[in-house]
Amino acid sequence: RPRLSVFKSNNYIYAQLIDDTSGKTLVSATDAKEAKGTKIERAQKTGKTLAEAAKAKGITAVVFDRSGFKYTGRVKALADGAREGGLTF
Protein backbone atom coordinates (compact mmCIF):
# COMPACT_ATOMS: atom_id res chain seq x y z
CA ARG A 1 0.00 0.00 0.00
CA PRO A 2 1.34 3.44 -0.84
CA ARG A 3 1.82 6.01 1.91
CA LEU A 4 -0.17 9.27 1.82
CA SER A 5 2.32 11.77 3.24
CA VAL A 6 1.12 15.24 4.31
CA PHE A 7 3.17 18.40 4.78
CA LYS A 8 1.74 21.77 5.70
CA SER A 9 3.40 25.15 5.80
CA ASN A 10 1.92 28.36 7.12
CA ASN A 11 0.32 29.08 3.74
CA TYR A 12 -0.07 25.81 1.82
CA ILE A 13 -0.62 22.09 2.21
CA TYR A 14 1.08 19.36 0.20
CA ALA A 15 0.19 15.68 -0.16
CA GLN A 16 1.85 12.88 -2.04
CA LEU A 17 1.48 9.14 -2.44
CA ILE A 18 4.83 7.41 -1.99
CA ASP A 19 5.75 3.83 -2.85
CA ASP A 20 8.24 3.04 -0.08
CA THR A 21 9.53 -0.15 -1.68
CA SER A 22 10.85 1.70 -4.73
CA GLY A 23 11.18 5.11 -3.08
CA LYS A 24 9.17 6.91 -5.76
CA THR A 25 6.37 9.44 -5.62
CA LEU A 26 3.33 8.12 -7.46
CA VAL A 27 0.92 11.09 -7.20
CA SER A 28 1.17 14.53 -5.64
CA ALA A 29 -1.16 17.48 -5.05
CA THR A 30 -0.94 20.93 -3.50
CA ASP A 31 -3.11 23.97 -2.96
CA ALA A 32 -0.33 26.41 -3.89
CA LYS A 33 -2.07 27.45 -7.11
CA GLU A 34 -5.52 27.80 -5.53
CA ALA A 35 -6.48 31.36 -4.68
CA LYS A 36 -10.13 31.05 -3.65
CA GLY A 37 -11.48 29.74 -0.37
CA THR A 38 -10.18 29.32 3.13
CA LYS A 39 -7.19 27.16 3.95
CA ILE A 40 -9.52 24.39 5.16
CA GLU A 41 -11.56 24.44 1.94
CA ARG A 42 -8.39 24.39 -0.17
CA ALA A 43 -7.01 21.46 1.86
CA GLN A 44 -10.20 19.47 1.32
CA LYS A 45 -10.08 20.19 -2.42
CA THR A 46 -6.43 19.09 -2.48
CA GLY A 47 -7.45 15.77 -0.89
CA LYS A 48 -10.12 15.23 -3.52
CA THR A 49 -7.69 16.10 -6.33
CA LEU A 50 -5.14 13.63 -4.96
CA ALA A 51 -7.78 10.88 -4.68
CA GLU A 52 -8.93 11.41 -8.26
CA ALA A 53 -5.36 11.21 -9.56
CA ALA A 54 -4.74 8.08 -7.47
CA LYS A 55 -7.88 6.39 -8.79
CA ALA A 56 -6.72 7.15 -12.34
CA LYS A 57 -3.55 5.17 -11.55
CA GLY A 58 -5.53 2.33 -9.96
CA ILE A 59 -4.76 3.12 -6.32
CA THR A 60 -7.64 2.83 -3.85
CA ALA A 61 -6.06 1.89 -0.50
CA VAL A 62 -3.33 3.89 1.22
CA VAL A 63 -1.67 4.34 4.61
CA PHE A 64 -2.11 7.83 6.09
CA ASP A 65 1.09 9.55 7.30
CA ARG A 66 0.39 12.89 8.98
CA SER A 67 4.14 13.54 9.43
CA GLY A 68 3.82 14.51 13.07
CA PHE A 69 1.12 17.14 12.48
CA LYS A 70 -1.94 16.96 14.72
CA TYR A 71 -5.02 15.42 13.10
CA THR A 72 -7.09 18.61 13.20
CA GLY A 73 -7.81 21.51 10.88
CA ARG A 74 -6.19 21.31 7.47
CA VAL A 75 -4.74 17.81 7.94
CA LYS A 76 -8.18 16.44 8.84
CA ALA A 77 -9.78 18.35 5.95
CA LEU A 78 -7.28 16.84 3.50
CA ALA A 79 -7.97 13.35 4.85
CA ASP A 80 -11.74 13.89 4.60
CA GLY A 81 -11.37 15.12 1.03
CA ALA A 82 -9.28 12.08 0.11
CA ARG A 83 -11.92 9.78 1.61
CA GLU A 84 -14.67 11.58 -0.30
CA GLY A 85 -12.62 11.12 -3.46
CA GLY A 86 -12.56 7.35 -2.95
CA LEU A 87 -9.36 6.53 -1.07
CA THR A 88 -9.58 4.17 1.91
CA PHE A 89 -7.25 4.26 4.90
Side-chain angles (χ1 to χ4, degrees), residues 13-32:
I13 192 159
Y14 306 88
Q16 55 185 348
L17 291 179
I18 303 168
D19 181 9
D20 286 320
T21 56
S22 64
K24 294 185 178 182
T25 299
L26 305 172
V27 179
S28 65
T30 181
D31 69 341

Side-chain angles (χ1 to χ4, degrees), residues 5-9 12-16 65-67 69 78:
S5 178
V6 177
F7 174 76
K8 68 174 187 163
S9 67
Y12 305 114
I13 192 159
Y14 306 88
Q16 55 185 348
D65 175 17
R66 55 187 175 81
S67 303
F69 297 107
L78 186 133

